[in-house]
Amino acid sequence: MIFKFKKHFCFLLMISIALSSCAKTPESVTSSSENTSASYVNCETASLEEMSKNVDEYVSTLGELELDNMTFSEYLEIDIPDYVPTGKYICPDNFQDNYAKIFSYYDEDYDEANAVDDGTTYPTGPTYINEEKNLEMSIGCDGFFSYNKDFDSQKYYNESEIVETYTASQLESCDEKYKLENSSSEISVRNAAELAKEFVDDFVKNNNYSNEFVVSRVMLCETDDGYFYEIGYTQKVDGVNILEYASTYDESLSNLICPTVFAYICSDEINNFCVNYYLDEYEIEGEYTEVFDLVETSEYLSQKLASKMNLKVQRVALEYCMIYTENVQEAEDGESYREDIAPWATACSYDVYEPQICWVFYFDETPEGEVYAMVNCEDLSVTYVDNT
């Protein structure tokens, strides 16, 4: 049997490729193991609970640091969870089992006859179309879900451009308003973020979705016919952010898998929403209660970056960097489930991931131009990503 991408899943993979293929190997990151060892000894650890309680103090302290190559935004946002579980996570295989309940939640006139699964798409699960309402939904075994209402994917995906990007730290106070292409009134950037958050929170609550989401950025976009908003989300598992911006220039990150979650607002409501997978706990062994102190880690990162750089940190977060390790489901012929069904998929049912815990310093979150650095909380190895 030949399997093929679900329509929107293919688009997600293209996004991942576009973001990662432009990444540059940084000449500006030093790589001396002697420097790493020396700095490693000098970095002290701090309680996650205490750091999360004192975010404002960290914002103030970081703002006063005098570093050769890094400064911190006056609107600096810091995300520190109270604790971080350690162990492994797995991609599920049964999210599509409740397709009728989920589809009917978004269409009060749900008709089972319009839910079709021909068995040739991956992730496995049906697609639903209500032509009268111009509504289409699709669901997949690994947590994939897409929702489209009055949405022209060709137009908004491929025939538009980004006008402005607003990061999470800007959203609460951003009241700039725009008349969207199909809206009856102007909608502010802040209200667009609130609408997107309400939709995804409702999605999680009513569909028993294992992970949660926060709005990470809002993009004002434009077509020949007017404006619309694209929303980016950070996915969280056990209260910890999952790194969402991919890069593949470093071979050590070839198995780094980043979730893709987005929404489009072209009218007075969410017109498009898509998530490509979620993760369940698999083998949780314990938890981190302390990691390297954020201030000392910032100073360490500055030491590892070349002095010629002039970077401004907009956001810092302690995040999971999900590393694919194996697929644990075996097919009848002895080949792995992944190789037999979907060797090309970004994520696949029964994939197992072991997260690396990293401080992530975000310098620029412009789509297809993200710039950030990761500092591994196990060995203080530094990875610098430039997707411009």
Side-chain angles (χ1 to χ4, degrees), residues 79-151:
D79 190 322
I80 306 175
D82 293 337
Y83 72 99
V84 177
T86 61
K88 297 179 181 180
Y89 291 87
I90 191 168
C91 206
D93 186 50
N94 58 358
F95 182 62
Q96 83 284 11
D97 288 354
N98 292 321
Y99 73 89
K101 175 179 177 291
I102 294 171
F103 288 165
S104 60
Y105 180 76
Y106 294 100
D107 185 1
E108 60 184 11
D109 300 316
Y110 174 74
D111 183 350
E112 175 70 20
N114 292 332
V116 177
D117 183 1
D118 63 7
T120 65
T121 59
Y122 194 87
T124 305
T127 293
Y128 174 82
I129 299 176
N130 184 328
E131 294 183 354
E132 291 184 3
K133 294 184 177 181
N134 198 17
L135 173 66
E136 178 181 345
M137 292 178 283
S138 188
I139 198 168
C141 51
D142 58 0
F144 170 82
F145 178 75
S146 71
Y147 168 93
N148 298 278
K149 185 177 181 182
D150 299 321
F151 187 76

Side-chain angles (χ1 to χ4, degrees), residues 45 111 115 145 174 180 194 207 227 252 291 296 357:
T45 60
D111 183 350
F145 178 75
C174 189
L180 304 189
E194 291 171 350
N207 301 321
Y227 293 117
S252 67
V291 296
E296 296 199 8
I357 314 302

Side-chain angles (χ1 to χ4, degrees), residues 274-342:
C274 196
V275 53
N276 62 344
Y277 70 91
Y278 72 81
L279 296 173
D280 283 326
E281 292 184 353
Y282 183 58
E283 295 177 353
I284 300 301
E285 302 165 348
E287 66 181 51
Y288 279 90
T289 56
E290 59 180 38
V291 296
F292 291 111
D293 179 76
L294 177 55
V295 174
E296 296 199 8
T297 302
S298 301
E299 294 173 329
Y300 169 78
L301 175 61
S302 176
Q303 294 171 13
K304 295 296 292 180
L305 298 175
S307 59
K308 65 181 179 180
M309 305 185 77
N310 182 21
L311 299 166
K312 177 171 283 191
V313 182
Q314 307 292 335
R315 179 165 69 99
V316 184
L318 188 67
E319 301 190 332
Y320 278 147
C321 298
M322 288 295 180
I323 307 298
Y324 168 77
T325 60
E326 62 179 329
N327 185 284
V328 295
Q329 176 70 19
E330 296 298 321
E332 291 182 3
D333 58 4
E335 294 182 349
S336 75
Y337 185 87
R338 168 177 277 275
E339 292 171 350
D340 185 47
I341 302 297

